[in-house]
Amino acid sequence: MDVDVVVVGAGPTGLMLAGELGQSGMRTLLLERRPEPSAMAKAGGLAGQILQMLHYRGELDRFREARGGPARPEPAPRFPFGGLHLDFTQFEDPPMRAMLLPQPRLEAVLAERAIERGADVRRGHEVVGLHQDEDVVTIEVRGPDGPYDAAAQFLVGCDGGRSRVRELAGVPFPGTSFPEIERLASVTVPDSVTVLDDGSLDVPGVGTIPFGYTATDRGVFACSGMGGTMGVYTAEVEATEYDDDEPMTVAELSASVSRVLGIDLPLGEPLRMTRFGYSAKQADTYRDGRVFLAGDAAHLFPAGGVAVNAGMLDAANLAWKLAGSVHGWAPPGLLDTYSDERRAAAERTLLHTRAQVALRRGYGPGGDALRALFLELTADEQPLRRLGELMAGTDVGSPVSGAHPLVGSFATDRAMHVDHEDPTFAGVLRKGRPVLLDLADHADLRELAGQWDGRVDVVSATIDEPPADALLILPDARIAWAAAVDEPGKTALPALRESLFTWFGTPAT
Ligand SMILES: Cc1cc2nc3c(=O)[nH]c(=O)nc-3n(C[C@H](O)[C@H](O)[C@H](O)COP(=O)(O)OP(=O)(O)OC[C@H]3O[C@@H](n4cnc5c(N)ncnc54)[C@H](O)[C@@H]3O)c2cc1C
């Protein structure tokens, strides 16, 4: 065996996974076919539950600093949703958080983190074949110095929407592709165009193009002028398939505006240009024996803003399970929980991203009314919070029926009374290891969890208005088990024992 785990693809998912595996002591080889990191402006930042998880790891400031300037907490966002913006600024603890950090910079931080933790990151190495048996997975690699093979216990395909690993493993990727291309650009305002006070554009020979959306029988156009820049957006029904790695040009945008509006719109210098093709797809399974799929290789969502979140959460869910298998303590079935849990989470993301497409594509008075009504309903705190949790990927539901309502949810950060330099949930979860958090001085529960010493850390604390007497928290900050307040030992103990066996196998002692 050359390494424990081979990760294919150095996008956000593969880089996050390599860092997580390194944290768990795995010998990790990360293979990326591109010789250099991509400079493509894809995601504009991080959004959703992953921000909370990075905070729990004590790493969020490192990502904030990568933006340049001081590591200030980001304000509650107004986040795009189906052609609208949902306003989370009313919340002190917003259910949906967002942080600007262009994808190339995000990947640079993640790569640094993976290398620091011992991952062997090789660029210019393309995976072209794979073979697996009961004990090993062997991959064929085309590297700069010629072809070679590598053997590992596990292989994870984080190689994007057109995943070669998925194809080689024969995993179906069903779903829908919408024959629609959206183009979004920010350009400088050319001398011939005047930006009016309300953001509309005055174009000689054309007249005034109003701020906001204009629907025509060829598609949708939107513009906004501000300062010296012009935002331009088009959406057209087009069967053309684009390669995400092929940058959009001003000529391509200009041709699209002409088709939609029937005019030649003067455009200045490009500042940011992106193009989206819409797909809603999910792999039938994220596991085939020793081969796993994560990130875009496993799921594609038809609306933006949350795909990086989903991929990095996949990585956090999978890494410690692979480590448990390599270390030999993982119970049977643990690796399958990755596919089950993350497929269920992606179903929730598909639910809201598909709904966003329907909301955005409803044109005419009916569509306008639907959006206006939707905004009215989401002005109230409760539905907005619920939707925010869904968008953040926090709302993944409980996998265990009849369990404590907290089971399956992400642990919410709280201040605690505990002997720790950072007396919060985040503080005790910093090592990214499983924790039994005893909030009601239950020596019997602590003693039981102590049998899994080395796999589960045991922490005693108290908390004002405790949500439970005790919590078993997984490395990705989800709650695996909870004892209700004042729950007697005769029910709490067997339930905790069962949960410990389920997640961490036969006890070490
Ligand atoms: C224009 C645009 C804007 C976007 N905006 C947002 C946004 O605002 N928010 C958001 O969350 N998401 C956004 N996305 C989506 C986001 O960029 C992707 O979800 C994200 O990059 C997926 O990460 P990944 O690591 O799973 O896959 P990728 O980033 O696709 O990485 C896969 C890597 O695998 C490599 N690879 C492929 N095949 C092989 C092989 N055989 N051997 C070795 N290496 C291989 C590729 O070169 C690539 O580097 C946007 C996407 C686009 C195109």
Side-chain angles (χ1 to χ4, degrees):
M1 209 71 74
D2 298 316
V3 289
D4 297 318
V5 185
V6 169
V7 178
V8 185
T13 308
L15 290 165
M16 173 77 183
L17 181 62
E20 295 294 285
L21 289 166
Q23 172 89 350
S24 303
M26 296 294 95
R27 292 174 305 150
T28 306
L29 172 61
L30 190 156
L31 299 170
E32 165 58 49
R33 76 184 152 134
R34 284 199 195 99
E36 298 294 334
S38 167
M40 266 289 284
K42 293 187 184 175
L46 282 176
Q49 182 64 34
I50 191 65
L51 288 169
Q52 193 69 356
M53 189 176 303
L54 292 172
H55 166 59
Y56 286 171
R57 296 287 170 83
E59 295 184 275
L60 189 52
D61 280 352
R62 178 174 187 172
F63 289 82
R64 286 175 174 148
E65 279 158 12
R67 296 177 299 192
R72 284 201 196 92
E74 35 295 319
R78 292 182 76 243
F79 203 80
F81 190 95
L84 305 168
H85 275 91
L86 293 182
D87 186 354
F88 293 101
T89 56
Q90 63 177 283
F91 293 103
E92 260 177 45
D93 58 336
M96 178 68 180
R97 295 166 194 268
M99 181 179 103
L100 288 177
L101 181 63
Q103 191 163 331
R105 270 192 259 165
L106 167 69
E107 290 180 10
V109 183
L110 288 169
E112 241 174 51
R113 176 180 180 268
I115 291 165
E116 278 165 15
R117 294 172 178 193
D120 177 1
V121 179
R122 297 186 195 166
R123 298 186 187 270
H125 293 244
E126 182 176 9
V127 171
V128 292
L130 72 84
H131 169 79
Q132 61 168 321
D133 60 28
E134 265 184 30
D135 304 314
V136 65
V137 51
T138 310
I139 51 164
E140 295 163 33
V141 187
R142 210 181 283 147
D145 301 324
Y148 64 94
D149 286 358
Q153 293 209 34
F154 298 106
L155 168 76
V156 189
C158 305
D159 50 343
R162 295 182 184 158
S163 170
R164 189 74 189 272
V165 170
R166 191 183 62 227
E167 186 193 311
L168 290 167
V171 176
F173 196 45
T176 334
S177 281
F178 297 94
E180 184 187 60
I181 307 283
E182 288 178 274
R183 295 182 175 84
L184 182 63
S186 172
V187 296
T188 58
V189 182
D191 291 343
S192 56
V193 174
T194 309
V195 174
L196 305 179
D197 286 349
D198 64 355
S200 304
L201 306 178
D202 194 39
V203 183
V206 173
T208 301
I209 305 178
F211 168 85
Y213 290 91
T214 306
T216 73
D217 55 4
R218 279 286 316 170
V220 178
F221 168 85
C223 69
S224 62
M226 205 197 314
T229 66
M230 233 163 93
V232 179
Y233 165 89
T234 61
E236 289 180 87
V237 172
E238 252 185 83
T240 322
E241 277 217 5
Y242 286 97
D243 186 343
D244 284 349
D245 295 330
E246 179 196 316
M248 191 171 97
T249 61
V250 174
E252 182 187 328
L253 176 65
S254 175
S256 174
V257 175
S258 297
R259 286 192 297 271
V260 175
L261 278 190
I263 62 159
D264 283 331
L265 177 66
L267 298 168
E269 293 301 315
L271 301 170
R272 183 165 197 261
M273 312 197 76
T274 53
R275 175 206 305 118
F276 313 84
Y278 272 71
S279 289
K281 294 189 174 187
Q282 169 151 234
D284 273 359
T285 174
Y286 292 4
R287 179 184 184 194
D288 174 55
R290 297 188 163 271
V291 176
F292 294 79
L293 298 171
D296 277 18
H299 41 67
L300 288 173
F301 305 120
V306 289
V308 169
N309 182 47
M312 288 174 69
L313 291 175
D314 288 347
N317 183 299
L318 179 58
W320 67 275
K321 296 175 183 173
L322 291 176
S325 302
V326 171
H327 288 310
W329 56 252
L334 182 68
L335 286 176
D336 286 329
T337 64
Y338 163 68
S339 184
D340 296 345
E341 289 171 357
R342 294 310 298 161
R343 282 192 87 258
E347 287 294 344
R348 299 294 289 160
T349 307
L350 279 167
L351 176 77
H352 78 79
T353 49
R354 282 186 166 125
Q356 288 190 50
V357 175
L359 198 60
R360 178 177 58 73
R361 292 174 109 194
Y363 299 121
D368 291 342
L370 178 64
R371 283 184 290 273
L373 183 60
F374 189 85
L375 277 183
E376 254 183 49
L377 294 174
T378 52
D380 291 343
E381 185 179 327
Q382 193 276 339
L384 186 58
R385 183 172 287 284
R386 183 167 182 159
L387 199 52
E389 285 173 356
L390 182 60
M391 292 161 73
T394 317
D395 165 12
V396 285
S398 167
V400 188
S401 61
H404 191 286
L406 286 175
V407 172
S409 67
F410 283 89
T412 308
D413 200 13
R414 298 271 302 267
M416 299 193 291
H417 307 286
V418 60
D419 182 18
H420 195 283
E421 55 177 351
D422 178 7
T424 60
F425 270 32
V428 302
L429 295 176
R430 185 152 300 173
K431 291 184 196 152
R433 288 167 47 79
V435 174
L436 176 81
L437 186 59
D438 175 12
L439 296 169
D441 196 15
H442 280 293
D444 50 350
L445 299 179
R446 293 200 303 275
E447 193 181 321
L448 176 65
Q451 293 175 32
W452 277 263
D453 187 27
R455 296 178 211 165
V456 178
D457 294 342
V458 177
V459 175
S460 284
T462 56
I463 190 168
D464 302 333
E465 297 178 41
D469 267 8
L471 299 167
L472 179 63
I473 306 176
L474 300 175
D476 61 0
R478 278 174 320 120
I479 296 172
W481 166 88
V485 172
D486 294 333
E487 182 169 340
K490 73 171 193 261
T491 58
L493 267 173
L496 174 60
R497 182 178 290 111
E498 190 185 331
S499 190
L500 287 163
F501 269 103
T502 302
W503 294 105
F504 308 112
T506 309
T509 53

